[in-house]
Amino acid sequence: MVQEAVGTVDAHLAWDVLAHELCRSALSGHDLDTLVETVESSGLRRGTMPSHLLDALVTSVKVGEEQLSDALAQEVHHVPDVPR
């Protein structure tokens, strides 16, 4: 689990490793720094999201909204005949 956490950017996994006494004690200084940076840069447990991540999220939501709206508009114009 320790090596997996160090090799990814999964802030939740990094948090779990840092919170686990045995796992944390097995970390090298470099690995500890890496996991601390992963957690801090993610904004995890801060109550707020870093602005660059919030911007990316808002952009993704807007793109999804536009695509869904387009798909629904096409469906409205292409209503199949309903047998009676």
Side-chain angles (χ1 to χ4, degrees):
M1 183 165 86
V2 171
Q3 290 309 313
E4 182 183 349
V6 173
T8 68
V9 292
D10 183 337
H12 291 280
L13 181 56
W15 177 272
D16 289 345
V17 168
L18 292 171
H20 190 276
E21 188 176 323
L22 185 60
C23 289
R24 187 181 179 114
S25 68
L27 294 171
S28 69
H30 178 265
D31 290 347
L32 177 65
D33 292 344
T34 299
L35 295 183
V36 168
E37 174 61 26
T38 298
V39 171
E40 288 179 352
S41 67
S42 74
L44 186 65
R45 309 277 177 158
R46 285 186 167 170
T48 61
M49 184 179 285
S51 61
H52 70 282
L53 295 177
L54 181 59
D55 291 344
L57 177 61
V58 169
T59 299
S60 295
V61 169
K62 286 180 181 178
V63 168
E65 178 184 22
E66 291 168 4
Q67 291 177 348
L68 181 59
S69 179
D70 290 347
L72 290 174
Q74 290 175 9
E75 279 293 316
V76 168
H77 297 295
H78 180 69
V79 177
D81 292 332
V82 178
R84 295 177 189 225

